Structure formats: structure tokens, C-alpha cells
């Protein structure tokens, strides 16, 4: 599925594209399923918080789960036939909304044995983003209080679980429908964003993980932090406006950008296989229904992830 110009979900159309050529240390993968992410929709729409495409038509998509077709060399740890998952380097390479993708070996890990390809395709970008924010930047630990804005989303539901796993007291914002589910994931408190904003009911948290692309929500969440607290802000477009406001309030702040990392993904795989962390796939679409998946995603009421079924397992 490609786009030939930016615009609405209807710009996603089927097309024949060249078979990807594996070069150097890349691994050629037959894609079984591809995750659908907010950044995919932003790129398709040409929003400021999006990646720039290198050429048209452009194949979108980062997340994939599939089977190795070609490895870099005979003695490589990954062999043809191995089930793997990972992140494509879109926009600098062909994305994962396609039957095949060739990606650097550092972008690929073995698929968790306990997950189907459809489930695994919902993991890489969201889990790596959440891990980076929660573990690498916020350094989640016992006794820490962490507020996760948009806890029920793709990144959010992993952030809640990772923070709780490392002992933090997690407060998550979400809808009333998702309150019980968020508690099952590890949230100690859930704030219904429809009835109250977190800044009115939450105080003295150590870290705010902001996953909401809403300047007003991001700014209000600063009031929930203790003096000297940290806000980790994922949406790139609004980071420049938030940073000086955080500094003026005596708070620490940083943006965040995810990068493919097979080593971290292997750690996530162990947590998934042990049952300490779960991925939730809200709905599955066939590849040629990618436009419908984008329309659903942009309603902003998805629980966990949406996934495209690309080929048979």
C-alpha cells in the first residue's frame, strides 16, 4: 500500500513496487503483519510531526513481523525461515506496508515465541518508544510516581506496564471504558480525561510521560509535577513550545525520538514470553484495508494497537 501524495486515508492505494534488494548487513524479511502507528498517519497526512518521504510513491510503515528470507551471511544468527519482528527505517527505506522489507540487522529480533505474527507486529515501535521514555530517560524505580498521559494507546499501554514492572506508582489517563483494563496493566490510579484533567486531581508526580499531541493537555500536565520533576514529551511538533514553559516552572524536560534497537527488543521479547508484559491488538485489517485502519486510528479511541495482515503465516 502506497501514497503518491499527502492527504487523507483515501490516499493509501495498492500498487506494484520493486522487490527490495538486500544489501550489506540487511536482513530481507517476508512480512506477515505490519503495525499501524500514529506516525504513519502523520506522514500520510503531511502533518508537521511527520517524517519526510524520500520519493513517491512511498510505502509507509515501521512495525513488522515476518519470516527471514535472506540473511547477511551464512553464519549470521538469523537464518532463512526464522520468525522475526522489528522496525523498518522508513522514510529512508521502503516501509512495512508491503509483502517484503529489507532492514538492517540491528532493527530485527527473534519474534516472541508466545505471540502470533499479528500480535508481534503491534510491539516494536510502541514498546521501544515506551522503554526509552520509561527506562532509559525516566529511569523508573520503586517509590517513583509516574503519570502516563494517554495510557490506553499503543505506546501508553506499554509505558504503564514497564513503569509498573520497575516498581513505580503509575497514574494513567484514559477513558472510563479503559479504566479497569489500565488497572489490570499495572496502573495504581486512573484519571478519566472526559470528566477531569490530570492536573486537577494529581499532584507531586516525579515524571510525566506525555503521549498526547495536544498542546493544552501537555501544558496542563506540568502542574501535576513536583518541583524539579521531569516531563518526557513524545510529540515532536509541540516540543519547542513546551520546553520553555517547563523551564519557567522549574521543571526538567526532554523530547524523545525512538530508534530501532534489536538488543532492547530482545529484552522486551523475554518480558512478553514470561507474561510480565502484554500487547493488546484492538483490531486487525487486511493490507488493502489500510485506509480503514488509518481512519480508525485517527478517531483516537484505539485501545492498544491496530495491525495489518499482509501475507499468510
Amino acid at each position: 500500500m502506497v501514497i503518491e501524495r499527502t492527504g487523507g486515508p483515501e490516499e493509501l492505494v495498492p500498487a506494484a513496487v520493486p522487490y527490495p534488494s538486500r544489501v550489506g548487513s540487511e536482513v530481507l524479511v517476508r512480512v506477515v503483519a505490519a503495525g499501524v502507528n500514529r506516525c504513519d498517519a502523520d506522514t500520510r497526512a503531511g502533518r508537521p510531526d511527520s517524517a519526510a518521504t524520500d520519493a513517491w510513491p512511498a510505502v509507509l510503515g515501521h512495525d513488522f513481523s515476518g519470516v527471514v528470507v535472506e540473511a547477511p551471511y551464512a553464519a549470521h544468527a538469523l537464518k532463512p525461515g526464522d520468525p522475526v519482528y522489528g522496525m523498518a527505517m522508513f522514510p529512508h527505506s521502503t516501509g512495512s506496508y508491503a509483502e517484503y522489507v529489507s532492514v538492517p540487522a540491528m532493527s530485527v529480533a527473534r519474534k516472541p515465541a508466545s505471540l502470533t505474527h499479528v500480535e508481534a507486529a503491534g510491539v516494536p515501535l510502541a514498546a521501544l518508544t515506551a522503554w526509552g521514555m520509561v527506562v532509559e530517560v525516566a529511569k523508573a524505580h520503586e517509590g517513583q510516581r509516574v503519570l502516563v498521559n494517554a495510557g490506553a494507546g499503543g505506546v501508553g499501554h506499554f509505558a504503564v506496564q514497564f513503569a509498573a514492572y520497575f516498581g513505580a506508582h503509575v497514574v494513567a489517563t484514559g477513558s472510563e471504558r479503559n479504566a479497569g483494563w489500565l488497572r489490570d496493566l499495572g496502573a495504581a490510579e486512573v484519571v478519566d480525561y472526559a470528566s477531569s484533567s490530570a492536573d486537577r486531581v494529581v499532584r507531586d508526580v516525579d515524571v510525566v510521560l506525555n503521549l498526547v499531541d495536544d498542546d493544552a493537555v501537555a501544558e496542563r500536565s506540568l502542574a501535576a509535577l513536583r518541583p524539579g520533576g521531569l516531563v518526557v514529551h513524545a510529540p515532536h511538533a509541540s516540543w519547542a513550545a513546551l520546553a520553555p514553559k517547563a523551564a519557567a516552572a522549574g521543571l526538567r524536560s526532554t523530547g524523545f525520538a525512538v530508534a530501532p534497537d534489536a538488543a532492547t527488543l530482545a529484552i522486551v521479547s523475554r518480558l512478553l514470553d514470561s507474561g510480565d508484559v502484554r500487547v493488546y491488538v484492538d483490531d486487525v485489517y487486511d493490507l488493502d484495508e489500510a485506509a480503514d485502519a488509518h481512519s480508525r486510528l485517527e478517531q483516537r479511541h484505539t485501545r492498544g494497537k491496530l495491525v495489518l495482515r499482509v501475507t499468510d503465516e
Side-chain angles (χ1 to χ4, degrees):
M1 296 296 288
V2 306
I3 58 170
E4 297 186 349
R5 60 185 179 185
T6 58
E10 70 280 357
E11 297 297 339
L12 277 160
V13 295
V17 299
Y19 188 86
S21 298
R22 192 199 64 76
V23 296
S25 65
E26 289 184 341
V27 178
L28 179 64
V29 177
R30 177 176 65 82
V31 178
V32 175
V36 179
N37 292 287
R38 180 71 190 177
C39 55
D40 302 343
D42 287 340
T43 300
R44 186 219 69 233
R47 297 188 182 100
D49 204 19
S50 67
T53 55
D54 288 336
W56 306 97
V59 181
L60 302 182
H62 293 79
D63 291 338
F64 64 85
S65 184
V67 179
V68 174
V69 176
E70 294 179 15
Y73 49 88
H76 195 272
L78 298 176
K79 310 292 185 186
D82 284 349
V84 295
Y85 72 152
M87 273 183 64
M89 296 293 287
F90 179 83
H92 296 298
S93 67
T94 300
S96 59
Y97 292 9
E99 288 85 351
Y100 294 90
V101 65
S102 190
V103 294
M106 65 177 289
S107 303
V108 187
R110 294 185 184 276
K111 180 182 74 65
S114 61
L115 301 187
T116 66
H117 282 293
V118 166
E119 291 168 330
V123 175
L125 185 145
L128 289 174
T129 302
W131 184 275
M133 296 176 74
V134 172
V135 182
E136 296 174 4
V137 178
K139 304 188 186 307
H141 58 270
E142 188 172 352
Q144 189 182 48
R145 287 171 51 81
V146 177
L147 170 63
V148 181
N149 275 326
V155 176
H157 87 295
F158 282 115
V160 168
Q161 293 179 83
F162 291 152
Y165 178 81
F166 284 100
H169 178 97
V170 181
V171 183
T173 65
S175 66
E176 182 179 6
R177 176 180 77 96
N178 288 322
W181 179 67
L182 285 167
R183 291 190 178 92
D184 287 342
L185 293 181
E189 302 176 50
V190 179
V191 177
D192 179 3
Y193 62 76
S195 60
S196 181
S197 58
D199 61 292
R200 294 182 178 179
V201 297
V202 181
R203 285 289 183 273
D204 295 325
V205 297
D206 299 287
V207 180
V208 169
L209 305 177
N210 187 54
L211 308 171
V212 181
D213 190 13
D214 184 315
D215 292 354
V217 171
E219 185 175 352
R220 287 200 305 269
S221 69
L222 300 179
L225 282 160
R226 64 166 175 78
L230 171 68
V231 56
V232 187
H233 189 71
H236 302 301
S238 53
W239 165 242
L242 184 66
K245 294 173 182 177
L251 303 170
R252 296 172 294 140
S253 64
T254 181
F256 184 81
V258 67
D261 183 353
T264 299
L265 203 52
I267 296 172
V268 173
S269 294
R270 291 196 290 273
L271 293 174
L272 288 162
D273 279 338
S274 68
D276 290 306
V277 171
R278 293 173 282 161
V279 58
Y280 185 87
V281 176
D282 202 3
D283 214 342
V284 183
Y285 297 79
D286 289 335
L287 179 61
D288 60 5
E289 298 174 318
D292 294 333
H294 274 226
S295 294
R296 169 77 179 282
L297 184 71
E298 291 184 321
Q299 294 173 12
R300 301 197 178 196
H301 296 297
T302 302
R303 174 188 285 186
K305 292 298 297 288
L306 301 177
V307 172
L308 301 177
R309 184 185 292 106
V310 179
T311 61
D312 294 332
E313 296 199 21

